[in-house]
Amino acid sequence: MTNKHETGIRIARQLRTTEHAVDTALAEMFRLGAQMVDGRKAANLAAAVGQDSLTEIVSGLSALNTARRATVAAHGNLLEVAQDHGVVWRMDGTTEDKPVPTGGTTGHLAVVA
């Protein structure tokens, strides 16, 4: 195995670890927000109680979503880099289902005539 293939495998494993870590953080923050709302209701407290903290949690969720989007974009870019340099690898262990490309779309809206 060449050095670039070994490097590709290390990067692929770290990318997967990063993707899972961001998803875990996102899920945990969702749970925290839900527990805050449920706890306030269970304690029979006014809606204003804890609102500033909930606003911070929602802001954190937005930041984590931005991080997730960036990680997904980086994944696609790294795939192109690997293909451009002839690095072929397959993850060991379980694989994940991925969306099927739909022929030349970029994920951005296009103007149609």
Side-chain angles (χ1 to χ4, degrees):
M1 191 176 310
T2 67
N3 188 34
K4 68 180 176 180
H5 286 88
E6 291 170 2
T7 299
I9 290 169
R10 282 195 308 273
I11 291 170
R13 287 179 179 153
Q14 186 59 49
L15 177 61
R16 186 172 188 205
T17 297
T18 301
E19 288 171 342
H20 287 198
V22 171
D23 280 348
T24 297
L26 191 58
E28 291 298 329
M29 193 160 277
F30 269 118
R31 281 190 274 280
L32 175 58
Q35 285 184 8
M36 290 168 61
V37 171
D38 291 344
R40 182 200 51 79
K41 291 187 324 188
N44 200 30
L45 297 171
V49 174
Q51 181 58 48
D52 290 344
S53 296
L54 185 59
T55 298
E56 293 298 329
I57 295 302
V58 171
S59 177
L61 284 168
S62 179
L64 284 170
N65 187 54
T66 299
R68 187 178 192 279
R69 181 179 301 278
T71 304
V72 168
H75 190 143
N77 294 338
L78 286 168
L79 177 60
E80 287 182 24
V81 169
Q83 290 169 342
D84 290 348
H85 293 275
V87 176
V88 179
W89 50 267
R90 178 175 295 279
M91 288 295 297
D92 47 15
T94 59
T95 59
E96 299 168 336
D97 291 336
K98 297 182 181 189
V100 178
T102 56
T105 61
T106 63
H108 299 284
L109 294 176
V111 177
V112 238

